[in-house]
């Protein structure tokens, strides 16, 4: 049986996967027992005290209050902020599914719910014969797709849904993140059009919170969760 959890992917890099996954982790922390987080592959690490660290993994870990070792939360931390397979090559590393699976299995054995953040979008290469989509499929986790709200998002989101379906990956739904306070013309129809054309549910439309730091965004997303259909879907996944 697969562990409970979900795989958070995006239509692109920088769309808010970490914020949304961390918001969900923060929300579930008081409702789901032990929440585990994984950022299997980070490219674009920061160097601190001579060690490479994954800021995504650190934020996810903080949000979930996950006490697992960082070597399992973030097994591959690569230096350059470029396609992970290329960042790995330049670091002299090879990203292997089996290594990620080992961390995933250890995490699954002592958490009640796992949140996995991909890297970029579904067809981003992680290593030889390993795209983000392959990772989601092989881990057997359903997808939550994070999308931008602005012009171009209909195309990117529909392509992401088609890609998932073509590969037999279950899509739980879509989250539109960073919706502006005053929507422009394109934002005003995007959620409706995406839902109509994709056949997938838009489970949340999260606002853009300007002028606040990452942790404050996470707190706000978590506090807002109960208002969104995503909360009901998460509760369903927990049963
Ligand atoms: N709802 C929001 N309100 C305000 N700022 C946000 C929101 N969502 C994301 N951001 C900001 O946008 C930036 C990108 O978000 P995030 O790091 O979550 O993207 P990502 O999809 O995880 O990127 P990557 O592909 O690098 O992992 C961050 O600086 C984050 O603080
Ligand atoms: Mg991220």
């Amino acid at each position: 049986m697969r562990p409970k959890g979900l795989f958070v992917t995006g239509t692109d890099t920088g769309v808010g996967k970490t914020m949304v996954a961390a918001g969900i982790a923060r929300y579930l922390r008081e409702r789901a027992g032990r929440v585990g987080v994984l950022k299997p592959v980070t490219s674009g690490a920061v160097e601190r005290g001579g060690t490479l660290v994954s800021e995504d993994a650190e934020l996810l870990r903080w949000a979930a209050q996950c006490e697992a070792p960082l070597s399992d939360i973030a097994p591959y931390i690569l230096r350059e902020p470029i396609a992970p397979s290329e960042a790995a090559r330049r670091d002299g590393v090879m990203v292997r599914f089996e290594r990620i699976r080992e961390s995933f299995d250890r995490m699954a054995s002592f958490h009640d719910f796992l949140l996995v953040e991909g890297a970029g979008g579904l067809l981003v290469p992680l290593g030889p014969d390993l795209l983000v989509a392959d990772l989601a499929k092989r881990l057997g986790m359903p997808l939550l797709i994070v999308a931008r709200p602005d012009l171009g998002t209909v195309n990117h989101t529909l392509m992401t849904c088609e890609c998932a379906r073509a590969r037999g990956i279950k899509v739980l739904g879509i989250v539109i993140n960073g919706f502006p306070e005053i929507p422009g013309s394109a934002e005003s129809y995007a959620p409706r059009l995406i839902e109509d054309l994709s056949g997938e549910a838009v489970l949340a439309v999260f606002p853009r919170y300007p002028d606040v730091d990452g942790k404050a965004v996470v707190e706000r997303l978590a506090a807002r969760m109960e208002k969104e259909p995503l909360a009901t879907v998460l509760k369903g996944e927990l049963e």
Side-chain angles (χ1 to χ4, degrees):
M1 209 178 75
R2 76 163 173 89
K4 290 175 184 166
L6 51 91
F7 191 105
V8 180
T9 190
T11 54
D12 201 351
T13 185
V15 294
K17 293 181 297 293
T18 304
M19 292 299 140
V20 170
I24 293 171
R26 176 74 188 85
Y27 171 77
L28 288 180
R29 201 161 93 192
E30 284 122 26
R31 295 167 176 85
R34 294 157 304 173
V35 179
V37 286
L38 278 110
K39 172 80 186 182
V41 184
T42 303
S43 58
V46 294
E47 194 167 335
R48 227 182 275 141
T51 324
L52 289 179
V53 299
S54 163
E55 288 185 324
D56 280 8
E58 286 184 336
L59 192 75
L60 291 166
R61 185 191 208 202
W62 164 82
Q65 299 276 287
C66 174
E67 286 168 8
L70 272 169
S71 54
D72 277 339
I73 294 176
Y76 288 104
I77 302 182
L78 310 167
R79 189 176 297 272
E80 286 195 61
I82 55 175
S85 59
E86 188 61 19
R89 201 180 61 77
R90 293 185 193 185
D91 283 354
V93 172
M94 195 190 290
V95 175
R96 290 185 312 111
F97 173 73
E98 292 70 25
R99 169 72 189 86
I100 296 171
R101 171 104 243 173
E102 284 164 21
S103 288
F104 181 86
D105 288 345
R106 268 193 296 273
M107 299 284 288
S109 68
F110 61 94
H111 291 92
D112 303 297
F113 195 90
L114 291 184
L115 280 160
V116 184
E117 182 191 343
L122 279 183
L123 296 187
V124 162
L126 300 174
D129 291 324
L130 189 66
L131 304 174
V132 169
D134 301 324
L135 179 60
K137 169 92 178 168
R138 292 174 76 176
L139 292 177
M141 308 294 274
L143 282 189
L144 187 68
I145 298 168
V146 180
R148 291 185 287 112
D150 51 338
L151 189 62
T153 194
V154 172
N155 175 51
H156 280 122
T157 310
L158 297 183
M159 287 201 299
T160 302
C161 291
E162 276 208 17
C163 172
R165 276 198 292 265
R167 287 161 182 265
I169 307 169
K170 181 183 168 193
V171 177
L172 214 52
I174 297 158
V175 168
I176 295 175
N177 179 53
F179 203 80
E181 197 182 358
I182 302 165
S185 184
E187 282 98 349
S188 64
Y189 62 75
R192 174 179 48 81
L193 212 51
I194 285 172
E195 194 160 68
D196 287 353
L197 296 175
S198 70
E200 305 292 347
V202 171
L203 298 175
V205 178
F206 288 131
R208 171 148 298 273
Y209 299 107
D211 309 322
V212 289
D213 73 4
K215 286 186 178 173
V217 173
V218 171
E219 294 288 1
R220 290 186 197 195
L221 294 179
R224 199 193 149 92
M225 205 68 68
E226 204 65 57
K227 290 202 199 95
E228 303 285 343
L230 180 55
T232 312
V233 170
L234 290 172
K235 284 172 196 158
E237 288 297 301
L238 283 169
E239 278 163 12

